[in-house]
Amino acid sequence: MTKKQFKAESKRLLDLMINSIYTNKEIFLRELISNASDAIDKIYYKTLTDQSINFNPDDYYIKIYIDKEKRLLTISDTGIGMTKEELDDNLGVIAKSGSFDFKNEHDIRDGHDIIGQFGVGFYSAFMVADTVTVISKALGSDEAYKWESSGVDGYTIEPYQKDAVGTDIILKIRENTTDENYDEFLQEYKIKALVKKYSDFIRYPIKMDVTVRKPKEGSENEYEEYQEEQILNSMVPLWKRNKNELTQEDYDNFYTEKHFGFDKPLKHLHISVEGTTSYNAILYIPEKVPYDYYTKDYEKGLALYAKGVLIMEKCPDLLPDYFSFVKGMVDSDDLSLNISREMLQHDRQLRIIAKSIKNKIKNELLSMLKNERDKYEVFFKAFGRQLKYGVYSNFGQHKEDLQDLLLFYSSKEKKLVTLAEYLERMPKEQKYIFYAVGDSIERLEKLPQTELVAEKGYEILYFTDDVDEFAIKMLMDYQGKEFKSVSSADLGLEENTETEKEDKENRKIFDGMKNILGDKVKNVRASKRLKKHPVCLTNEGDLSIEMEKILNAMPYNQNKNFKAEKVLEINTKHQVFAALKAAYEKDKEKFKLYTNLLYDQALLIEGLPVSDPVEFTNNICSLMT
Ligand code: ADP
């Protein structure tokens, strides 16, 4: 029989499993039981929605068999089974693409950590077994097949005899080594303990024939042994349990078992709502950003159960986009099992649940912000951008819900602050909430435009995320206080008549500069805001210079036709201005040179490219020689 090859990544994962130095090998059982439970979920759901299939609820179970002599451990389920093609597709390749992304050697060296955090599924069987055999018969199929592999050199598939629909996973347990006791995976007590530890909440019975010792009838010191089938798990799903009985570890295990994430969750919410619409939910806020989170591949959603039966693995309608990072599940007795995916969207009950979930998440985040600030900042660093997108998208429809969850870096506090905190500290006469936009905090600290506002003693919020200014423009104001960029033409600060005078006196010079610069700028004028720096760019109108930068960088915008109305501001107190003035009067060529140089400098400070770098360097050279 010809051997088939594993796909490249699968091979590497397998290799890692086989040679694993990972000590927590016992998790293989959790993974296999969890797969079995998923397979039963699938068939159970089918039988409930398809009247033509006849099934007795007692027929759904998982059974574990131990054969010490042959060193075999079998996990058998009455689930949906796999066809020949499915055996090939599902077991020949890693299903969870991306969860095992070996891009570099570093990932491989850290392999044992990865195994610990990621549920790695079926392949984990190879941590404890030399050979893994899968015998499966799919629902609706007459044939059964045997899949078998002893490791990286490939696998075989051949027809096999199996009467009932379902899957048997047979592990040939490895021989003990000096550091590793594999024998214990053939011990009843060990398997019992592992099921209790990792799989207690599996909804279907996990059965095993357990050896029972009983005093022989009529005898005090003679015992007889016999086999008795026992159910090893409690079967009450986690979400139906009383919160007080559950430990943090239970919730963490559930998160891993359900493959919600590869990290440890930052926070969990266990919700039980009774009322016209009742539901239970366990929700998680992850600690780390999933690798594909900010891409279009990311799918939001919660697992949806109706009356305890899984009807959809990722129901997107349960979560608003701005909370798309939330993982977890919802179970409601008020939903119909027969509901189709298309119908779900319009289901009234589902909408009520979704709204309730949204509010619960929001309140949880608000209370985290209030009571566990450090934790909240960890959360915000990971997912704050999503909240800001949320403020911006849908024409600001959700801004009320989200504005109090936002954090921005404060020029004064040197840390992240809320808008409410900003407002609280704001002096009475301050008209606006000020902000500055730039690539980094370090750069913003040096931005000339902030000089005047900072000198007044006003706090400035530093916007370093692309989305920040867009979100704030959508917000427009917070508690009636408008936002104002330190780069905008009118800062609403007290009028500085001296600057007006300077501007008038030097109008001819400024107009001359404007002539040279053409439509690169809308205006040139004396600056009110500059204290130490010679020049800066500010803007009039709605589109800021930062927004121009972002919009023109968008891949779909080929024409790069966004243009902020830029104003070149000149510090008339600066020595450079004296030189400029002198040039204006005596040397028109020099005046032109200075004007272009000052403009280019302003662009550079702003983080914008100079339009002609060669000319710019030539200009500097001619200045030096
Ligand atoms: P995951 O469970 O995360 O998808 P696995 O590698 O554990 O990844 O399993 C791959 C696929 O193989 C599963 O998605 C499922 O379709 C199939 N599978 C695994 N075990 C069983 C089983 N006991 N019964 C039916 N299908 C199974």
Side-chain angles (χ1 to χ4, degrees):
M1 199 172 9
T2 53
K3 269 216 169 112
K4 297 197 175 197
Q5 293 304 307
F6 287 102
K7 299 275 178 317
E9 310 80 48
S10 307
K11 220 169 161 167
R12 300 177 79 175
L13 173 55
L14 250 182
D15 198 31
L16 199 74
M17 289 295 157
I18 292 166
N19 301 309
S20 170
I21 47 158
Y22 181 56
T23 47
N24 203 20
K25 292 183 170 24
E26 62 188 33
I27 57 114
F28 79 93
L29 191 64
R30 171 191 76 197
E31 298 296 315
L32 297 182
I33 289 176
S34 164
N35 278 350
S37 169
D38 290 349
I40 302 178
D41 271 345
K42 284 179 196 156
I43 198 168
Y44 190 41
Y45 175 59
K46 267 222 163 85
T47 59
L48 290 167
T49 50
D50 180 347
Q51 303 302 329
S52 71
I53 312 170
N54 208 351
F55 239 82
N56 178 345
D58 291 344
D59 292 341
Y60 303 114
Y61 62 88
I62 296 160
K63 186 152 180 182
I64 301 175
Y65 301 88
I66 297 173
D67 183 338
K68 275 198 195 140
E69 233 105 278
K70 296 195 181 127
R71 297 189 73 79
L72 297 181
L73 178 70
T74 302
I75 293 98
S76 169
D77 68 64
T78 60
I80 197 151
M82 283 177 273
T83 61
K84 188 181 178 198
E85 289 68 38
E86 283 166 343
L87 282 168
D88 202 12
D89 290 349
N90 295 343
L91 307 184
V93 71
I94 302 173
K96 296 178 295 292
S97 64
S99 67
F100 242 91
D101 205 0
F102 306 100
K103 273 192 227 85
N104 49 48
E105 287 304 312
H106 179 258
D107 284 347
I108 296 173
R109 254 186 290 116
D110 282 355
H112 59 287
D113 280 343
I114 300 177
I115 301 165
Q117 294 164 25
F118 296 33
V120 286
F122 172 72
Y123 285 3
S124 61
F126 286 95
M127 290 197 294
V128 298
D130 301 318
T131 302
V132 178
T133 309
V134 180
I135 297 165
S136 196
K137 185 174 186 179
L139 179 69
S141 166
D142 297 328
E143 301 138 6
Y145 287 91
K146 180 171 104 174
W147 178 102
E148 194 163 75
S149 171
S150 302
V152 278
D153 54 325
Y155 59 91
T156 55
I157 299 180
E158 60 185 289
Y160 205 76
Q161 186 54 41
K162 185 180 190 310
D163 295 334
V165 168
T167 305
D168 300 337
I169 312 270
I170 306 164
L171 313 183
K172 174 90 197 309
I173 298 295
R174 294 184 190 186
E175 297 289 342
N176 280 354
T177 63
T178 36
D179 338 294
E180 210 62 64
N181 176 10
Y182 294 106
D183 280 357
E184 55 174 10
F185 300 124
L186 295 164
Q187 309 282 355
E188 279 176 13
Y189 80 90
K190 182 69 185 179
I191 298 297
K192 266 172 113 169
L194 290 179
V195 170
K196 257 300 184 234
K197 179 171 176 189
Y198 293 112
S199 310
D200 196 43
F201 307 131
I202 292 285
R203 294 189 327 115
Y204 307 101
I206 303 170
K207 302 178 184 177
M208 187 163 76
D209 293 330
V210 178
T211 313
V212 186
R213 248 161 77 93
K214 225 176 69 175
K216 241 185 181 158
E217 226 168 293
S219 158
E220 292 251 322
N221 43 20
E222 269 187 291
Y223 287 85
E224 61 178 355
E225 277 189 359
Y226 62 96
Q227 296 271 301
E228 179 188 273
E229 187 177 78
Q230 291 184 356
I231 294 174
L232 309 182
N233 55 329
S234 72
M235 298 206 305
V236 181
L238 192 69
W239 59 93
K240 290 255 168 90
R241 301 271 294 233
N242 191 332
K243 277 177 239 187
N244 307 329
E245 290 168 13
L246 295 167
T247 63
Q248 185 60 44
E249 205 189 352
D250 290 329
Y251 290 108
D252 288 355
N253 280 340
F254 188 67
Y255 184 81
T256 312
E257 182 204 306
K258 293 285 169 199
H259 300 327
F260 287 141
F262 311 138
D263 49 353
K264 257 207 164 66
L266 192 66
K267 192 101 214 172
H268 72 259
L269 288 79
H270 189 156
I271 306 169
S272 308
V273 173
E274 302 283 335
T276 40
T277 302
S278 308
Y279 74 94
N280 294 303
I282 296 181
L283 308 180
Y284 295 94
I285 296 167
E287 181 178 26
K288 299 209 174 86
V289 188
Y291 70 98
D292 61 349
Y293 187 64
Y294 287 110
T295 74
K296 63 179 182 351
D297 296 333
Y298 181 81
E299 284 178 66
K300 66 163 182 171
L302 301 175
L304 180 62
Y305 292 72
K307 304 181 180 65
V309 180
L310 181 72
I311 58 173
M312 200 174 171
E313 268 173 70
K314 262 191 186 165
C315 177
D317 308 308
L318 285 166
L319 286 176
D321 280 341
Y322 51 86
F323 290 154
S324 62
F325 47 82
V326 174
K327 304 279 182 178
M329 54 73 53
V330 177
D331 183 13
S332 172
D333 287 347
D334 300 324
L335 290 171
S336 156
L337 273 170
N338 287 300
I339 196 158
S340 72
R341 285 175 188 207
E342 297 70 43
M343 286 292 292
L344 261 179
Q345 268 185 27
H346 309 289
D347 190 82
R348 207 179 70 89
Q349 309 283 1
L350 193 83
R351 284 219 299 271
I352 294 172
I353 295 173
K355 192 164 171 213
S356 159
I357 283 178
K358 179 199 87 180
N359 287 326
K360 299 266 182 200
I361 298 170
K362 183 180 124 187
N363 291 335
E364 184 66 32
L365 289 174
L366 284 171
S367 98
M368 209 198 321
L369 174 60
K370 199 164 148 231
N371 305 316
E372 298 171 285
R373 182 70 169 232
D374 289 348
K375 219 174 207 186
Y376 188 82
E377 288 190 14
V378 171
F379 156 76
F380 196 81
K381 283 194 177 119
F383 300 108
R385 234 169 103 195
Q386 188 64 12
L387 298 183
K388 293 185 270 189
Y389 281 124
V391 170
Y392 172 70
S393 53
N394 295 76
F395 305 101
Q397 199 186 334
H398 307 292
K399 61 185 186 184
E400 299 288 325
D401 272 334
L402 297 173
Q403 58 184 4
D404 285 313
L405 292 172
L406 302 180
L407 294 178
F408 296 104
Y409 186 89
S410 155
S411 63
K412 260 196 165 167
E413 300 293 308
K414 307 284 179 212
K415 61 175 193 196
L416 294 170
V417 301
T418 64
L419 295 174
E421 287 160 1
Y422 183 103
L423 228 62
E424 227 173 65
R425 283 190 287 269
M426 203 163 146
K428 267 210 191 64
E429 80 282 358
Q430 190 182 333
K431 267 202 233 156
Y432 300 112
I433 299 174
F434 289 107
Y435 66 85
V437 190
D439 292 339
S440 65
I441 289 162
E442 296 71 37
R443 253 182 118 141
L444 283 168
E445 302 251 82
K446 295 189 195 134
L447 195 72
Q449 286 91 326
T450 62
E451 285 185 329
L452 180 61
V453 180
E455 200 191 61
K456 286 258 176 231
Y458 296 160
E459 188 170 352
I460 303 169
L461 298 176
Y462 287 167
F463 290 180
T464 50
D465 247 349
D466 279 4
V467 64
D468 286 344
E469 197 176 17
F470 291 88
I472 241 59
K473 293 244 156 153
M474 196 52 87
L475 215 51
M476 286 190 300
D477 66 282
Y478 179 76
Q479 310 290 353
K481 288 281 181 191
E482 274 178 55
F483 293 92
K484 194 71 145 178
S485 162
V486 294
S487 300
S488 66
D490 170 27
L491 289 174
L493 302 173
E494 68 225 49
E495 278 314 302
N496 183 339
T497 45
E498 200 191 339
T499 316
E500 310 271 293
K501 215 177 93 216
E502 297 263 357
D503 194 69
K504 257 194 210 116
E505 274 169 17
N506 298 301
R507 191 65 341 232
K508 270 204 300 231
I509 302 177
F510 295 145
D511 287 346
M513 293 176 84
K514 160 75 183 132
N515 261 340
I516 293 165
L517 293 170
D519 58 6
K520 286 183 198 157
V521 294
K522 184 146 183 278
N523 199 356
V524 181
R525 66 164 164 250
S527 180
K528 294 177 201 172
R529 78 194 80 209
L530 290 174
K531 299 289 158 191
K532 297 195 291 280
H533 293 77
V535 280
C536 73
L537 283 174
T538 62
N539 77 281
E540 287 176 353
D542 275 340
L543 192 70
S544 74
I545 296 169
E546 290 302 319
M547 290 166 100
E548 169 192 305
K549 247 197 282 183
I550 293 162
L551 291 170
N552 285 340
M554 300 273 185
Y556 58 79
N557 174 28
Q558 295 295 337
N559 319 332
K560 315 277 172 227
N561 51 3
F562 286 96
K563 203 153 182 272
E565 293 182 343
K566 301 186 189 73
V567 175
L568 183 65
E569 294 200 358
I570 309 287
N571 183 355
T572 49
K573 301 267 182 306
H574 201 281
Q575 284 163 311
V576 159
F577 183 69
L580 188 75
K581 208 168 166 179
Y584 175 77
E585 270 142 29
K586 287 196 229 83
D587 185 344
K588 288 285 159 197
E589 268 314 301
K590 205 174 224 172
F591 178 66
K592 189 175 165 197
L593 177 72
Y594 285 0
T595 299
N596 281 322
L597 269 172
L598 284 174
Y599 173 71
D600 282 344
Q601 276 188 44
L603 285 176
L604 287 172
I605 291 169
E606 206 54 48
L608 289 166
V610 293
S611 55
D612 187 344
V614 176
E615 190 192 302
F616 175 66
T617 43
N618 284 344
N619 282 347
I620 289 184
C621 289
S622 74
L623 197 70
M624 292 170 78
T625 49

